[in-house]
Amino acid sequence: MPAASGPDDESKPFQHITVLLREVVAAVERAASLSTVEPQWVVDCTLGGGGHSEAILQALPQVHLLGLDRDPAALTAASARLAGFGERFVCEHAEFAELRQVCERRQLPPLLAVVADLGVSSHQFDRPERGFSLRLDGPLDMRMDPSRGPTALELLADVRLEDLADVLYEYGDIQRSIGTARILLEEVQAGATTTARLAERLAARLGRTRSIHPATQVFQALRVWVNGEYRQVEALLEQAPGLLAPGGALAVISFHSGEDRPVKQTMAELAKRGGEFWLPQRKPVLPSELEQQQNSRSRSAKLRVLHKKSHQDAEPDAPDDDLDDA
Ligand SMILES: C[S@@+](CC[C@H](N)C(=O)[O-])C[C@H]1O[C@@H](n2cnc3c(N)ncnc32)[C@H](O)[C@@H]1O
């Protein structure tokens, strides 16, 4: 299916350095070595600029790949990049919660792999009009899919102080959340309704207590709220394991603890319960020193992989003494 076109799909190239590229490809290769499913389909639920998808299609010539993204601009960019793969690549405008429905409608066989690289792309961050950036001034939008749902500014115009404090606490890990929520509402009501302006005002009012910009966690919380990100990750974790072929893999990259926690817990529970799934390792796969040096955004990345068993008891579970986070 052709990619949908979007409002910001014009000339500027899609800039995003793919994180944990070799490691994700290795997880799909392992699935291919364990699975006998034919034809082999991979769904990349976070197509973005197409970095993971391209590497998977290159490394596994027998694989067909469906890319999903809720951002029409990502579909446009990835379609252009991956056009050379012909019928092996298709993409669709959809979000995680629609994964099962899309696979059923397309009558895909059980999947070799489901891949998700959570969060926003650098492209989304770097376009001021998308409203994610602390530095580049733009409207307080923050929607990954600009075609639906309220913007950050619209949500802020209509939220109770206590509810906003919950958002800041739960999605941004902000401890003094009532005070921060009050400052945030005061500043928006006083006219700080663009991103860099609001970030500046928050910095002035909150003070710099850590090395990161004082508005970083506030912006993260607003972004997670606007995009319903935790609900989406829950839906992904609920739907993806049941779509896998025997031997198939679910590979998820997360960037902060609120994303990683449900991934870690769901995978551990599935591997414990009933013996249908197994974990190649309980600790997350982290970027190498070199990758962290070359791409600072990779520093907080954690990759977790879950496999569906290919034969009863064929694969050992990860050892029990290896339970903690890295
Ligand atoms: C980190 S980027 C992916 C980059 C990609 N792996 C690459 O190498 O180019 C995350 C992408 O996932 C999309 N996304 C995030 N949450 C989503 C969701 N719930 N449903 C669909 N797409 C989502 C974002 O719009 C963004 O384009």
Side-chain angles (χ1 to χ4, degrees):
M1 177 180 281
S5 60
D8 71 344
D9 57 355
E10 349 70 17
S11 53
K12 198 172 172 204
F14 195 103
Q15 304 278 4
H16 179 84
I17 305 175
T18 299
V19 167
L20 288 164
L21 183 65
R22 275 186 302 114
E23 294 80 355
V24 167
V25 172
V28 182
E29 284 175 334
R30 184 171 49 224
S33 74
L34 294 169
S35 180
T36 54
V37 70
E38 294 244 2
Q40 294 187 347
W41 274 90
V42 172
V43 179
D44 181 349
C45 298
T46 51
L47 184 59
H52 285 116
S53 290
E54 180 179 65
I56 291 167
L57 286 163
Q58 276 167 350
L60 294 124
Q62 75 282 16
V63 155
H64 288 73
L65 187 141
L66 166 63
L68 307 179
D69 205 294
R70 67 200 309 193
D71 184 348
L75 295 168
T76 305
S79 297
R81 178 172 180 175
L82 304 177
F85 292 101
E87 289 179 356
R88 291 177 61 211
F89 170 71
V90 286
C91 67
E92 183 162 336
H93 185 211
E95 49 191 34
F96 298 164
E98 297 166 306
L99 172 64
R100 188 188 293 129
Q101 190 195 322
V102 171
C103 291
E104 282 172 5
R105 176 166 34 77
R106 287 177 171 268
Q107 300 186 322
L108 295 191
L111 302 174
L112 182 68
V114 176
V115 173
D117 174 15
L118 302 178
V120 279
S121 65
S122 307
H123 179 78
Q124 289 165 327
F125 266 125
D126 295 345
R127 298 292 297 249
E129 72 273 23
R130 301 298 300 268
F132 292 102
S133 176
L134 293 166
R135 294 170 292 107
L136 308 169
D137 208 23
L140 264 179
D141 188 322
M142 299 196 182
R143 290 171 301 169
M144 290 185 202
D145 180 355
S147 70
R148 50 178 141 169
T151 65
L153 187 58
E154 286 164 350
L155 287 176
L156 285 167
D158 196 26
V159 67
R160 289 172 51 233
L161 176 71
E162 295 75 15
D163 294 339
L164 183 58
D166 287 348
V167 164
L168 297 180
Y169 182 76
E170 283 170 34
Y171 303 153
D173 231 357
I174 291 168
Q175 298 303 313
R176 282 175 294 177
S177 56
I178 280 275
T180 307
R182 187 171 292 118
I183 289 173
L184 177 55
L185 287 180
E186 283 170 7
E187 290 301 333
V188 170
Q189 280 155 14
T193 55
T194 57
T195 55
R197 173 87 189 116
L198 180 62
E200 243 172 56
R201 292 302 310 146
L202 291 175
R205 299 272 311 263
L206 295 171
R208 189 173 285 269
T209 51
R210 298 168 46 179
S211 53
I212 58 169
H213 191 291
T216 303
Q217 286 165 282
V218 173
F219 271 49
Q220 177 189 301
L222 293 178
R223 193 199 87 199
V224 171
W225 183 36
V226 167
N227 293 290
E229 288 182 40
Y230 288 6
R231 266 199 324 277
Q232 289 286 323
V233 172
E234 239 172 65
L236 174 75
L237 294 168
E238 193 260 313
Q239 296 181 19
L243 296 170
L244 295 177
L250 169 62
V252 183
I253 300 174
S254 62
F255 289 88
H256 56 89
S257 59
E259 282 175 350
D260 181 54
R261 203 173 304 117
V263 177
K264 174 183 166 181
Q265 282 171 357
T266 304
M267 288 187 173
E269 274 163 28
L270 285 170
K272 224 185 274 170
R273 192 198 315 154
E276 204 188 346
F277 296 94
W278 65 286
L279 300 171
Q281 64 180 68
R282 285 182 193 266
K283 287 189 178 178
V285 180
L286 304 179
S288 65
E289 285 286 319
L290 182 65
E291 178 169 3
Q292 293 186 44
Q293 278 166 23
Q294 289 174 341
N295 178 12
S296 60
R297 188 177 169 273
S298 75
R299 284 186 198 142
S300 53
K302 288 181 177 177
L303 167 66
R304 294 189 187 270
V305 182
L306 175 79
H307 277 274
K308 184 161 174 170
K309 284 190 176 169
S310 47
H311 304 291
Q312 201 58 26
D313 297 325
E315 297 88 7
D317 281 337
D320 276 346
D321 57 359
D322 197 17
L323 271 165
D324 296 332
D325 264 356

